[in-house]
Amino acid sequence: MPSIQETAYPRLKSNLTVKELTTIYTPTVEELAFAKGVTASGSGTRLGLLILLKTFQRLGYAVSTQTVPSSIIRHIAAVAHLDVSSRQLEDYDASVTRRRHLQIVRDYLQLHPYNRAASVVMEEALRNAALTKQDLADLINVAIEELVRQRFELPAFSTLKRAAQQIRTQVATTCYQPVNALLTLASRQQLDALFEIATDATSTPWNAIKQDAGNLTLTHLKSWIERLQKLQQLQFAQAALKGIPEVKIKHFAQEAMTLDAARMKQMEPSKRYTLAVALSSVQSARTLDDLADMFIKQMQQMHQKGRTALAEYRVEMQPRTDELIATLRDVVLAYQKPGDIPNRFAAIEAVIGEQSDALVEQCDAHLSHVENNYFSLM
């Protein structure tokens, strides 16, 4: 459950800087005139009204003067030149005048009271947000933002929290029925079998689905492929999840992970099937992702081994390469000898001799690995 500190619900700070007091809680000339016009006499009533006005302005909801930090009260009193005792402020909090002032302050700030209309606005915002958000703090923040946008007074934090819980549960429930409706009788029976222990087994298939498969290695590759095949046998219900936001599917899967077979069997059928389908879908996708990651890593290793083998091959073949360069030099020198073409060919033949086939083979081997071509060595 989120605490008030985890949300954007406005609260009064107990320790304020001089700058914060001046910027936030200093009544303007207009506000001082407004307070004077509303309260014909009585410094306690006027100060109470100014405190109500400035805190309401800051928070978006009313608080009693008893909950307002003394630094704020002293600052407002000093600006308004009012000297009021704590007893007078207590009397103001309990007075009918304060209740009357509350409506006057709302009108002055152009705020609507939190009522049935505000509740409808809040619930609609929560219902829309609950389709894509799961965290209660996020839902509460959405409700606060919408109420502020439409100029409604904020309700108590407990009201927001309770509404967020209820709406989130309702939205989740609306996801269960379509899933249940799309499943055939055979599909339901197959899902129900997950929670039963076979005669030759020591645990339920549900345990196997929930089990963390751990790190994937080549040694365990076969068992991972078998796990994927078993999970994919349950993907007959994958179509039932269409239309449900991904965030809800992940939440259903997380909830399913916390439940054993016995608790799943006790659950209302439509919810049980939805959670089971969601978990099998998420686990299947996760296993497939892990296998794909392993394949990519193996391919990367193969490529790296190919590059290493090429580097080693070049080191090993360096003497042969030097010999080929030397042979090429001798051929060029023979070609450059003075004399006619037959004499030159004779000089070249003297260099190459009976090595022509071997030299061509060595050149082909060298050329097959030019431009870092290591594929044949993978």
Side-chain angles (χ1 to χ4, degrees):
M1 294 299 293
S3 64
I4 192 171
Q5 291 83 3
E6 297 174 281
T7 69
Y9 193 79
R11 295 170 294 125
L12 292 173
K13 291 175 61 176
S14 55
N15 297 316
L16 292 131
T17 64
V18 173
K19 182 179 179 180
E20 287 173 327
L21 284 170
T22 304
T23 304
I24 301 170
Y25 296 104
T26 300
T28 64
V29 174
E30 180 185 342
E31 290 167 347
L32 290 171
F34 162 74
K36 186 175 181 180
V38 173
T39 57
S41 62
S43 58
T45 302
R46 186 171 302 169
L47 180 58
L49 173 59
L50 285 170
I51 294 170
L52 177 63
L53 171 63
K54 297 308 292 183
T55 54
F56 206 138
Q57 197 175 55
R58 177 63 174 172
L59 300 175
Y61 60 92
V63 293
S64 68
T65 59
Q66 304 306 305
T67 61
V68 178
S70 57
S71 59
I72 296 176
I73 294 175
R74 289 195 300 268
H75 176 73
I76 295 175
V79 173
H81 304 292
L82 297 171
D83 185 14
V84 178
S85 67
S86 58
R87 179 62 184 175
Q88 287 176 292
L89 290 178
E90 289 178 18
D91 291 341
Y92 175 76
D93 284 339
S95 68
V96 175
T97 301
R98 182 186 181 277
R99 291 194 288 275
R100 182 173 58 84
H101 283 175
L102 186 56
Q103 185 56 51
I104 293 173
V105 168
R106 286 196 191 103
D107 293 341
Y108 182 77
L109 297 176
Q110 297 181 343
L111 289 174
H112 308 295
Y114 182 78
N115 51 23
R116 179 56 190 160
S119 179
V120 169
V121 167
M122 176 184 67
E123 290 174 5
E124 183 178 358
L126 286 171
R127 204 173 302 281
N128 291 333
L131 292 172
T132 55
K133 299 180 186 297
Q134 185 60 33
D135 189 73
L136 281 177
D138 291 338
L139 294 176
I140 290 170
N141 289 342
V142 167
I144 291 172
E145 182 180 357
E146 187 60 20
L147 287 170
V148 169
R149 190 184 72 82
Q150 297 205 31
R151 307 292 298 172
F152 279 109
E153 177 182 358
L154 294 180
F157 180 74
S158 58
T159 300
L160 286 165
K161 185 164 64 173
R162 185 168 55 252
Q165 286 178 291
Q166 291 174 348
I167 297 298
R168 186 178 69 174
T169 301
Q170 290 172 10
V171 170
T173 302
T174 59
C175 295
Y176 304 150
Q177 300 304 328
V179 174
N180 186 47
L182 288 172
L183 293 176
T184 64
L185 177 60
S187 299
R188 295 191 188 95
Q189 290 172 343
Q190 190 171 347
L191 290 172
D192 286 334
L194 296 175
F195 313 112
E196 303 294 342
I197 301 178
T199 53
D200 57 344
T202 58
S203 63
T204 64
W206 181 246
N207 267 359
I209 292 176
K210 288 173 52 182
Q211 188 176 6
D212 183 6
N215 294 326
L216 175 57
T217 63
L218 279 175
T219 308
H220 303 122
L221 179 60
K222 183 178 179 181
S223 62
W224 275 70
I225 293 175
E226 290 175 353
R227 173 179 171 82
L228 179 63
Q229 290 171 342
K230 290 178 180 178
L231 286 168
Q232 288 183 332
Q233 289 173 4
L234 297 172
Q235 298 314 296
F236 57 81
Q238 184 69 26
L241 295 176
K242 288 184 178 178
I244 299 178
E246 187 66 24
V247 66
K248 305 304 291 185
I249 295 174
K250 289 182 178 178
H251 169 68
F252 294 152
Q254 289 170 359
E255 184 178 352
M257 283 289 287
T258 66
L259 302 171
D260 58 21
R263 292 177 64 188
M264 289 291 289
K265 287 172 66 175
Q266 295 170 0
M267 193 178 292
E268 190 272 327
S270 60
K271 181 176 181 180
R272 176 170 68 247
Y273 297 140
T274 303
L275 296 190
V277 170
L279 181 60
S280 67
S281 175
V282 168
Q283 294 290 70
S284 177
R286 187 173 297 162
T287 303
L288 188 59
D289 287 344
D290 289 339
L291 283 168
D293 287 340
M294 192 211 68
F295 173 76
I296 292 170
K297 289 176 182 177
Q298 289 302 311
M299 292 302 296
Q300 289 173 337
Q301 289 178 13
M302 289 173 62
H303 280 265
Q304 185 56 47
K305 287 178 180 178
R307 294 186 188 97
T308 302
L310 177 60
E312 293 173 350
Y313 172 82
R314 284 174 171 169
V315 171
E316 183 183 344
M317 293 294 107
Q318 188 61 46
R320 180 183 293 177
T321 304
D322 294 343
E323 291 175 4
L324 288 173
I325 295 297
T327 301
L328 175 62
R329 176 181 177 277
D330 292 342
V331 168
V332 172
L333 289 175
Y335 174 77
Q336 291 177 340
K337 280 190 173 184
D340 55 13
I341 292 177
N343 288 334
R344 291 182 180 181
F345 268 107
I348 292 173
E349 185 178 2
V351 172
I352 297 176
E354 297 180 356
Q355 304 179 71
S356 59
D357 290 340
L359 289 172
V360 170
E361 184 179 339
Q362 291 174 15
C363 288
D364 287 342
H366 178 78
L367 291 172
S368 66
H369 296 104
V370 297
E371 298 182 355
N372 294 321
N373 181 6
Y374 56 84
F375 296 114
S376 63
L377 301 174
M378 285 175 59

